[in-house]
Amino acid sequence: MAEQPAAGFGELLRQLRAEALLTQEELAEAAGLSVRSVSDLERGINRTARKDTAVLLAGALNLAEPARSSFLAAALGRIQAARVLAAEPGQAPGEPLTSGGGVHGFVPALTSFVGRGRAVSDVAALLDRDRLVTVTGPGGAGKTRLAGEVARQVAGRFADGVWLAELGSVRDPALVPAVVAAALGVREQPGTPAADALGRVLARRQLLLVLDNCEHVAGAAAELCAGLLLGCDDVRVLGTSREPLRVAGEARYRLGPLTLPGPDELAEAAGAEAVVLFADRARSADARFALDGQTGPAVARIVARLDGMPLAIELAAARVEALGVAQLLDRLDDRFALLAGTDRLAVGRHRSLAATVEWSYRLLDEHQRRVFRAVSVFPGPFTLAAAEAVAGEGAEPAVMHLVDCSLISPPRANPDGRSRYVMLETLRAYGAQLLAEAGERGEAEAALAGYTLGIAETAAAGLQTSTGEMAAARWLDAEDATVQQALAWAMAHNSAIGLRLGAALAPWWFLRGRLAGQYPVLGEAVAHAVPGGDGWCAAQFWLGTAAMLFSADLAGALGHFTAVRDFIGDRGPSRALADCLASRSVTLSALGRLAEAVDDGRRALAVARELGYPAGEALALERLSIAAYYSGDLDGSVRLARQAEQITAEIPGWLARNCISFLAKVLDVSGNLAAAEHVCAAGLARSRDVGDLRNLAALLIRMAMLEMRSGSTAGATAHLREALQISAGTGSRLGLANGLACCGYLCAATERWAEAVTVWAASAALLPYEGSATAPASVRRRQELLLEARQALGPARTRAAEDRGAAMSWATAAEYALLLTAPAPGPLAAATGTGLGRLSARERELVTLVAQGRTDTQIAAQLFISVRTVRSHLDRIRDKTGCRRRTDLTRLALSAGLV
């Protein structure tokens, strides 16, 4: 339904000037404006005034509330000037609300309404059911705009239309009824309160009253609504506020952010509401702006950094012409300085991002402000207990109020069963700035680190048992962002807490395949610790485990385990000694030093049994089983592996699955395929349930080998591909090496002899440990297949395949194996035949260097060109081939045989 045309503000200004007995010249002088400005407004040349101009005019006319608020609203085009005239005391009494149906007081939108279709429908449906609906949400969420769209959609339901009363400029809550009356054209009557006069008029009307921006006068607005709903049966109210009105019968609708693209959907982000809004407003600022493959991912990141909040997105989009999306993204750390608006007609609190947040902050009392500042230290979701630990006792009521005020999002249940609150990044950045300015940052960060240490050590105890492992891991998953921030602070400010945190978190990192990435942090913690302490021993154990299982650095791993033995070996039995002796054993086995491996394994077993330490006993038995396997004693290896697997006492889940994984391997190699498959399937199910990525990858490789033996190459391919993806994602070089070895067997089983030779050559080159051990059975089987490959290929092709594999980096070899296990030819196959043929010799050379793992800087140095030139070449290559990522270019090079 069309909006009613706005009455002229010029006529209102002229009448008020005449009543004040002022000429245009006198009014201009009193307001500090030019005569031309006053004249243009009265003649309608300028239909609205800037807010600063309107404020100056209201002061020069000596307007008091509520006339002042109504005058300002009319000057800005938010209400019809005719209603202000109708409310003037000097006019004859008349029946208000004569405009009938339609919408009244809403300024015609100058920009398109993007998204929120579901929200409009939901609020409209609530108005069908409830008489008072309050749309709540943080500043800048688009509550006012949503209310306007809802008003237009439902106006036909109300015989007397939809009327807007803007409360944002009301300074005194006592004036709320008078301002609302003025907005509806209900003039005050001597001796009659405005609320009563309004109630008498509206009792005979059927309309929707929209009260916009109620948060700072929430109590007065609530009182007015309660009275109107009680006495006016056919009136409904739609409010917008940063907090609910808390009136009986109120239905609340919390307006969240616009929809955002997922983290894995940056290249296909154009359909997300936040991206659509940014693109629309950016085109208004710069007609040349286009959302394409280059700008799309950057825009997706911008809107995500801005929490999908419409005001912040619109302010950012207005800067596109001056900065471009790349620079805009880079500057978002200083968002409050960057995102100041250019719309001079916008109300003050919407002219900048900082003003929007500050408006909400100033409505808090001092205790609530302190809690708001304190909880801004959390980098992610936080529990109520966490808030109290950081903000102090008594924080709970303040947190509840911050939720009501939309400064914190309501709690949501997480997979660990705990409910957590979230502060939007924009609000968190504002709070962090205030926290630093108040000199409270250090105290809050220290409190956060102490609280996080308690979580980590409690969860670490749970991870030591199979029954408590899943709950503990999920708890730490949910606290991931907080844990990382607390650890970074501790490493910089309190190395003792840093060591304890690192040692407590290491089992979780191991479980989630993140131990390799945390190796530098653990190493730094150990470097600042006194050798021989519990935390130092635990950290050394996990450093050695990371070096062995992820980095494939056997010498480095042996050094970590040996350091523990040397420092505590003469102190008597201890769990740390048992663990590190067992780990020395497996490292020595991998290095081919089998006699030493057996000695250390037996000593570890003796220490564990003396202590009554089931986990240490299982670990030692598994390590002795590995030593027997490398020595060729398969029967002994199976016997020891079964002993390890049958320890039923509470041991860490990862260790139990380790034992299962190796038992499946030795059963397979010894020919007991049915038992191996049964054990492997059970281990796979357990690993998937808890998210044990390292053991999952190992068991997938074992299942692939078992399926090859039964002739199911399709199943083997799928399992191997999943294992390779996990190992590549976790950075496990040992896992990748095992995957490459399995891939060689798969290629041989499908008679892809050149590929088999290549991946085996890559595996051998990437793990070149002199004297390293390989099980005799595996050696015999691979030698038989390599002989068959040489016979099929001939000397020259065999040598070429070997040279190709030997030249591969870890990344290239991983991509090659993934290419060999791909389910079907994808887009790269077409690129190989078309786009690749369009590349120049120099561009092919660049693709080859990318596939070899070179960075842009390394390529520039090798080719004696600038980094900028390298990037320009790569942009053209991407355009020609459609390969946007470096991994795509690597697969393209592998498909074409360039590497």
Side-chain angles (χ1 to χ4, degrees):
M1 184 172 293
E3 297 179 12
Q4 301 298 323
F9 171 69
E11 176 58 24
L12 171 63
L13 178 60
R14 186 197 63 75
Q15 181 170 319
L16 291 174
R17 177 179 59 78
E19 290 177 359
L21 304 176
L22 297 173
T23 65
Q24 286 187 350
E25 291 79 2
E26 290 169 338
L27 176 60
E29 182 178 358
L33 301 171
S34 68
V35 177
R36 176 68 178 271
S37 296
V38 175
S39 175
D40 286 351
L41 285 170
E42 289 192 1
R43 289 184 294 151
I45 294 175
N46 293 329
R47 297 173 61 87
T48 59
R50 288 171 41 176
K51 185 176 180 182
D52 54 352
T53 299
V55 169
L56 292 171
L57 288 170
L61 292 167
N62 292 316
L63 297 179
E65 294 290 1
R68 180 182 183 279
S69 294
S70 300
F71 175 81
L72 293 177
L76 298 175
R78 294 199 178 95
I79 64 172
Q80 295 179 18
R83 271 184 272 151
V84 183
L85 291 169
E88 281 299 301
Q91 283 206 308
E95 183 68 13
L97 305 176
T98 56
S99 299
V103 293
H104 308 272
F106 292 88
V107 179
L110 301 179
T111 55
S112 59
F113 184 71
V114 174
R116 301 293 199 199
R118 174 67 179 273
V120 171
S121 299
D122 288 347
V123 175
L126 286 175
L127 285 169
D128 266 344
R129 188 191 72 189
D130 300 290
R131 294 185 60 207
L132 171 61
V133 177
T134 306
V135 177
T136 64
K143 301 182 292 296
T144 297
R145 189 68 186 270
L146 176 72
E149 291 300 318
V150 171
R152 293 172 179 85
Q153 184 174 108
V154 305
R157 306 178 193 172
F158 299 93
D160 293 302
V162 182
W163 295 77
L164 172 68
E166 165 59 56
L167 303 182
S169 60
V170 179
R171 299 174 183 176
D172 183 354
L175 295 175
V176 166
V179 170
V180 174
L184 273 67
V186 178
R187 61 188 181 87
E188 297 182 58
Q189 301 171 9
T192 302
D196 292 349
L198 187 62
R200 281 200 289 268
V201 171
L202 295 188
R204 303 189 299 276
R205 300 293 175 178
Q206 196 249 343
L207 58 77
L208 173 66
L209 173 62
V210 179
L211 300 179
D212 193 28
N213 294 302
C214 299
E215 58 271 357
H216 61 302
V217 288
E223 185 178 351
L224 176 65
C225 288
L228 292 178
L229 295 178
L230 186 64
C232 309
D233 291 338
D234 293 325
V235 170
R236 298 192 177 223
V237 180
L238 173 61
T240 73
S241 178
R242 300 188 189 189
E243 62 179 288
L245 298 181
R246 299 185 187 87
V247 174
E250 175 187 32
R252 303 173 186 177
Y253 185 87
R254 185 176 290 273
L255 185 62
L258 295 170
T259 59
L260 295 166
D264 300 323
E265 302 169 351
L266 298 184
E268 298 82 27
E273 290 177 344
V275 174
V276 174
L277 176 64
F278 184 97
D280 181 81
R281 302 305 191 255
R283 280 190 289 270
S284 297
D286 181 2
R288 297 168 298 174
F289 176 81
L291 197 65
D292 54 30
Q294 184 173 3
T295 60
V299 169
R301 291 186 178 93
I302 288 170
V303 298
R305 291 282 308 278
L306 296 175
D307 304 306
M309 299 304 288
L311 174 63
I313 291 170
E314 294 194 5
L315 292 171
R319 300 295 186 197
V320 163
E321 184 178 29
L323 294 174
V325 292
Q327 285 194 88
L328 184 59
L329 178 60
D330 291 340
R331 292 171 181 243
L332 281 185
D333 285 340
D334 190 18
R335 67 189 67 190
F336 295 109
L338 176 68
L339 302 183
T342 56
D343 182 0
R344 292 188 176 90
L345 294 181
V347 293
R349 65 181 179 277
H350 284 169
R351 285 191 188 173
S352 74
L353 194 58
T356 298
V357 181
E358 184 181 16
W359 170 267
S360 294
Y361 180 73
R362 291 192 178 279
L363 297 177
L364 305 174
D365 65 31
E366 185 50 46
H367 176 63
Q368 292 160 352
R369 292 180 185 181
R370 187 181 63 78
V371 173
F372 173 77
R373 294 193 300 270
V375 297
S376 72
V377 78
F378 290 101
F382 58 91
T383 62
L384 187 57
E388 291 180 317
V390 169
E393 292 185 10
E396 180 177 346
V399 171
M400 301 296 101
H401 184 73
L402 293 175
V403 172
D404 286 342
C405 294
S406 304
L407 288 170
I408 295 177
S409 298
R412 291 186 179 181
N414 291 153
D416 69 334
R418 296 171 178 83
S419 293
R420 287 178 174 80
Y421 301 89
V422 176
M423 183 178 281
L424 296 178
E425 184 178 344
T426 296
L427 297 172
R428 186 166 60 247
Y430 183 77
Q433 179 179 315
L434 294 176
L435 188 70
E437 291 173 356
E440 300 165 347
R441 179 176 174 181
E443 180 184 355
E445 288 179 333
L448 179 64
Y451 173 76
T452 305
L453 178 61
I455 289 176
E457 292 185 335
T458 303
L463 288 170
Q464 295 304 306
T465 67
S466 296
T467 53
E469 177 188 43
M470 185 176 295
R474 287 180 175 174
W475 189 9
L476 290 174
D477 290 342
E479 299 285 355
D480 191 4
T482 297
V483 162
Q484 296 307 315
Q485 178 166 302
L487 180 61
W489 179 89
M491 295 305 298
H493 297 90
N494 191 321
S495 59
I497 290 181
L499 179 65
R500 289 175 62 188
L501 264 176
L505 294 170
W508 172 59
W509 291 333
F510 177 75
L511 195 69
R512 295 297 187 243
R514 296 167 57 177
L515 190 58
Q518 298 298 333
Y519 184 93
V521 176
L522 271 179
E524 183 183 348
V526 163
H528 291 91
V530 177
D534 290 345
W536 180 86
C537 291
Q540 290 282 17
F541 171 80
W542 289 109
L543 284 167
T545 302
M548 177 176 58
L549 296 181
F550 290 91
S551 303
D553 177 7
L554 298 182
L558 188 62
H560 289 296
F561 299 136
T562 302
V564 176
R565 183 202 65 180
D566 291 347
F567 268 98
I568 68 172
D570 58 356
R571 297 182 187 174
S574 68
R575 293 187 174 196
L577 180 61
D579 290 343
C580 285
L581 284 171
S583 297
R584 261 182 56 87
S585 174
V586 73
T587 311
L588 291 166
S589 290
L591 288 167
R593 296 159 59 178
L594 296 177
E596 295 174 79
V598 172
D599 286 345
D600 274 3
R602 287 173 176 168
R603 186 181 171 195
L605 183 60
V607 170
R609 285 175 172 169
E610 182 179 351
L611 293 170
Y613 177 33
E617 184 178 357
L619 186 63
L621 286 168
E622 188 223 13
R623 299 326 197 199
L624 285 168
S625 174
I626 292 171
Y629 171 77
Y630 279 127
S631 67
D633 180 9
L634 292 181
D635 290 341
S637 181
V638 170
R639 176 177 52 79
L640 288 163
R642 283 199 181 280
Q643 289 180 33
E645 189 260 344
Q646 288 169 2
I647 291 179
T648 56
E650 280 287 7
I651 65 174
W654 66 264
L655 176 54
R657 290 183 295 275
N658 256 21
C659 295
I660 288 172
S661 179
F662 192 73
L663 176 59
K665 179 174 183 175
V666 293
L667 287 171
D668 175 14
V669 176
S670 63
N672 193 345
L673 302 186
E677 187 171 350
H678 175 75
V679 170
C680 189
L684 272 174
R686 294 186 195 178
S687 296
R688 286 195 193 281
D689 284 346
V690 78
D692 182 350
L693 296 182
R694 196 201 73 82
N695 277 307
L696 178 58
L699 287 160
L700 284 166
I701 289 173
R702 185 51 43 197
M703 188 60 80
M705 295 294 292
L706 288 166
E707 287 175 324
M708 276 187 268
R709 298 190 202 286
S710 67
S712 176
T713 56
T717 300
H719 282 117
L720 174 57
R721 182 173 179 80
E722 185 181 356
L724 288 166
Q725 289 170 330
I726 292 170
S727 295
T730 60
S732 174
R733 290 187 171 184
L734 187 61
L736 281 174
N738 290 334
L740 291 172
C742 182
C743 188
Y745 287 113
L746 179 62
C747 290
T750 52
E751 297 187 346
R752 291 178 288 174
W753 297 112
E755 289 83 352
V757 172
T758 297
V759 292
W760 276 333
S763 179
L766 293 168
L767 286 177
Y769 293 109
E770 190 172 330
S772 61
T774 306
S778 298
V779 172
R780 288 193 299 272
R781 177 59 180 153
R782 189 178 299 189
Q783 286 176 342
E784 291 169 0
L785 291 172
L786 281 172
L787 178 60
E788 195 171 348
R790 290 188 183 96
Q791 291 172 345
L793 295 173
R797 291 178 63 197
T798 300
R799 191 177 307 110
E802 290 173 339
D803 291 344
R804 185 185 188 192
M808 288 182 177
S809 65
W810 282 106
T812 306
E815 288 299 334
Y816 184 56
L818 287 169
L819 191 66
L820 294 174
T821 55
L828 285 174
T832 302
T834 56
L836 191 64
R838 296 163 55 195
L839 299 183
S840 67
R842 172 49 67 91
E843 288 169 339
R844 284 173 175 256
E845 185 178 13
L846 260 73
V847 171
T848 302
L849 291 172
V850 168
Q852 290 171 348
R854 305 289 201 282
T855 65
D856 290 352
T857 302
Q858 290 169 335
I859 293 172
Q862 183 169 337
L863 299 182
F864 301 101
I865 57 179
S866 69
V867 174
R868 183 175 181 179
T869 301
V870 171
R871 290 172 179 164
S872 177
H873 280 307
L874 289 177
D875 285 343
R876 285 198 294 272
I877 290 168
R878 291 183 177 106
D879 290 340
K880 290 180 180 180
T881 63
C883 298
R884 310 310 305 177
R885 306 178 184 88
R886 295 181 92 87
T887 53
D888 294 337
L889 292 173
T890 300
R891 287 196 292 271
L892 178 62
L894 288 164
S895 299
L898 297 180
V899 291

